[in-house]
Amino acid sequence: MNFLAGSLSSGYTLIATILFICCIKTEKPQKSALATAFILCGVISLAMAWCYAQETHLYNGISLLIYLARWFIVITVALGGFRWIYLYTAILYECIFPTFIYIFATVPEYTGLIPNYVAESIALTVLNTGFLILLYIFREKIVFWVRSIIKILPKHFYVFVLIAAFCLCGLSTISKYPTLLVSNKVNIMNLLLIILTFVMTWMIPSLLITMISRQHFRSTSTLLQKQVEIQLQHYDKQEKLNSEIRSFRHDYVNHLWSIRSLIQDGENNGAIAYIDKLLDAKHSTQTSFSTGNRLADAILTDKADILPDGIDIEFRGTIPPSLDNLHLCVILTNALDNAAEACSKLSSNGTISVTAQEHQGYFVMTITNPTADDRVYSDIPATSKADSEHHGMGLINIRNIVETYNGQMHINCEDHLFELSVTLKMKT
């Protein structure tokens, strides 16, 4: 009876594994194939129980072979083919669950009311049923997290996960294995603990490195997306500018005839007013900035357009096109955002001044802006939440970029004037 209960509950575990694999697969398996696989699970479980019941070394060996072969047979029939990822999932599932089984089966076993094999079979059945219920209710979330983990973790990481699960399963099994050879039992458990310690020592730093790399990739992707958006907005503005210029060129002959007619009729004041209107229109179609770097032009133009009235940006110098776009975006956008935030708190108009030049292999850019802050400091300020959010994290990001160039960043705030200067060693 104990062999039959154990084999059937083990077969139920394999069925639960197949259903889990079906959920995370992109292709849906055929229902007829699943039904055939489930029938095979029952037949194989009965065959294993019969072999174990004979209690001979020969039949125990045959039962072990059936136990190993059932993964290949059932997975191939149910999923229409064999893949190592399917076998990996089945073995991992089979190794993890015994650890929980012995925890849940301990209480009824110690009461003496339920035999050991019955308690373990009930615990295994309850756990598998609970897992299938959760899989049915939260299928989309479980599938999302499983697929996300598969994409993030490196392939060699799965080997260590399987080894760790195998060691935990071995410890749970051996701790309850009845034997008089206590020393052998202790030696095996110590060996499993050593292996488990080694694996966990490697896995924890690896997970931390993976998480840090993922966060860095996410931050980089956000900056790149922001950079692309700024460039697209700049191209739209350039297209609008070109359209206005083409329209002006198309009409300028008519404008000249109108001015000529006004002069002939003695309407000099009218002609001057007409010319003034044309000059204003021409001025509005001129490019705001010409730094020598297209991305810098786009960023400066975009930031100038969204500034409130009374706040302007002026630029002097050149920005080399060889400067890394991502790094330039981080430095310029954060510096201008900080400057705009400071100017917005002024009671009067303000001008953000940007100067840049490249000299003897170094690129120097200075951004100055008036500020309502009356403090004097020469480092990243740590003050109120709002100030820390705008002038803290942005400046920290700039400093991180500067350090990659073996450069320097200087901050100075006094007499209601904030100045940020960065020096980058240009890469050859």
Side-chain angles (χ1 to χ4, degrees):
M1 184 63 183
N2 58 336
F3 300 124
L4 180 61
S7 298
L8 290 177
S9 59
S10 180
Y12 186 37
T13 300
L14 186 55
I15 291 176
T17 307
I18 296 297
L19 292 175
F20 175 65
I21 296 175
C22 290
C23 287
I24 62 177
K25 269 172 53 61
T26 22
E27 306 88 5
K28 298 296 181 183
Q30 297 181 356
K31 293 182 179 180
S32 58
L34 285 177
T36 305
F38 294 161
I39 294 173
L40 276 175
C41 282
V43 173
I44 291 174
S45 298
L46 292 175
M48 288 173 54
W50 183 84
C51 290
Y52 275 125
Q54 305 308 309
E55 296 185 352
T56 63
H57 294 296
L58 175 61
Y59 283 104
N60 286 342
I62 295 174
S63 180
L64 179 62
L65 291 176
I66 295 175
Y67 178 81
L68 297 175
R70 66 180 187 145
W71 285 333
F72 297 93
I73 298 171
V74 176
I75 288 175
T76 304
V77 172
L79 304 175
F82 178 81
R83 291 179 60 185
W84 287 107
I85 185 63
Y86 301 156
L87 180 62
Y88 174 88
T89 305
I91 296 176
L92 185 63
Y93 193 97
E94 188 100 6
C95 289
I96 290 176
F97 264 61
T99 305
F100 296 98
I101 291 169
Y102 294 126
I103 296 174
F104 286 100
T106 299
V107 176
E109 178 187 343
Y110 283 153
T111 60
L113 300 176
I114 302 178
N116 182 20
Y117 66 89
V118 176
E120 292 178 3
S121 299
I122 292 175
L124 182 57
T125 303
V126 170
L127 284 174
N128 282 316
T129 304
F131 176 75
L132 291 177
I133 293 174
L134 291 176
L135 186 62
Y136 178 78
I137 298 175
F138 303 104
R139 178 181 178 277
E140 293 183 359
K141 291 184 178 180
I142 293 175
V143 170
F144 172 78
W145 283 108
V146 170
R147 290 180 178 175
S148 300
I149 291 172
I150 291 175
K151 291 180 181 179
I152 294 172
L153 296 180
K155 292 183 178 179
H156 62 272
F157 193 85
Y158 298 105
V159 177
F160 287 92
V161 171
L162 188 59
I163 294 174
F166 178 79
C167 290
L168 288 173
C169 178
L171 288 171
S172 301
T173 304
I174 294 174
S175 64
K176 295 177 64 64
Y177 187 79
T179 178
L180 298 176
L181 301 176
V182 179
S183 60
N184 291 343
K185 181 177 179 179
V186 171
N187 290 335
I188 295 175
M189 293 182 68
N190 288 337
L191 177 61
L192 292 176
L193 281 172
I194 292 173
I195 297 174
L196 183 61
T197 303
F198 171 78
V199 171
M200 296 304 295
T201 303
W202 184 91
M203 286 176 62
I204 293 175
S206 179
L207 277 176
L208 291 175
I209 293 172
T210 302
M211 292 173 63
I212 294 172
S213 301
R214 183 186 180 190
Q215 183 62 32
H216 175 72
F217 174 77
R218 182 181 297 174
S219 301
T220 304
S221 299
T222 302
L223 289 172
L224 289 174
Q225 183 179 0
K226 184 177 181 181
Q227 174 185 326
V228 171
E229 290 175 355
I230 292 175
Q231 287 180 317
L232 291 176
Q233 292 174 2
H234 183 63
Y235 293 149
D236 290 338
K237 293 172 184 176
Q238 286 294 106
E239 181 59 30
K240 183 179 179 181
L241 173 66
N242 294 335
S243 177
E244 292 176 356
I245 292 175
R246 287 193 298 267
S247 176
F248 180 82
R249 287 176 178 174
H250 177 75
D251 294 335
Y252 84 98
V253 175
N254 294 329
H255 294 315
L256 291 177
W257 276 109
S258 298
I259 295 172
R260 187 175 184 275
S261 298
L262 290 172
I263 294 175
Q264 284 180 341
D265 295 340
E267 298 287 341
N268 293 334
N269 291 333
I272 293 174
Y274 197 107
I275 292 173
D276 289 339
K277 290 182 179 179
L278 291 178
L279 289 175
D280 290 338
K282 184 176 181 181
H283 176 73
S284 66
T285 60
Q286 292 178 344
T287 304
S288 299
F289 301 96
S290 179
T291 66
N293 184 296
R294 291 185 178 181
L295 177 60
D297 294 344
I299 294 174
L300 289 167
T301 303
D302 180 70
K303 296 300 181 182
D305 286 345
I306 61 177
L307 287 175
D309 294 337
I311 302 177
D312 301 315
I313 297 178
E314 64 176 20
F315 176 83
R316 294 187 302 273
T318 59
I319 298 178
S322 58
L323 194 64
D324 184 88
N325 287 337
L326 178 61
H327 298 160
L328 175 62
C329 183
V330 172
I331 294 174
L332 201 52
T333 55
N334 281 291
L336 292 176
D337 287 343
N338 288 348
E341 174 68 17
C343 289
S344 66
K345 299 178 181 179
L346 297 172
S347 57
S348 59
N349 296 342
T351 299
I352 301 171
S353 175
V354 182
T355 60
Q357 62 178 345
E358 184 180 6
H359 183 66
Q360 295 183 351
Y362 288 89
F363 172 69
V364 181
M365 182 164 62
T366 304
I367 299 95
T368 60
N369 61 270
T371 176
D373 195 348
D374 57 358
R375 297 172 305 158
V376 176
Y377 54 85
S378 58
D379 200 355
I380 298 176
T383 55
S384 64
K385 180 179 179 180
D387 189 52
S388 175
E389 180 181 356
H390 292 284
H391 293 275
M393 291 306 300
L395 292 174
I396 290 174
N397 292 336
I398 294 175
R399 185 172 61 187
N400 291 336
I401 296 298
V402 171
E403 289 176 353
T404 63
Y405 283 82
N406 295 322
Q408 295 181 346
M409 183 180 82
H410 296 288
I411 295 173
N412 186 58
C413 183
E414 59 181 341
D415 297 329
H416 295 280
L417 186 67
F418 179 86
E419 180 180 275
L420 169 66
S421 176
V422 296
T423 303
L424 308 180
K425 183 178 181 181
M426 299 300 294
K427 299 177 181 180
T428 56

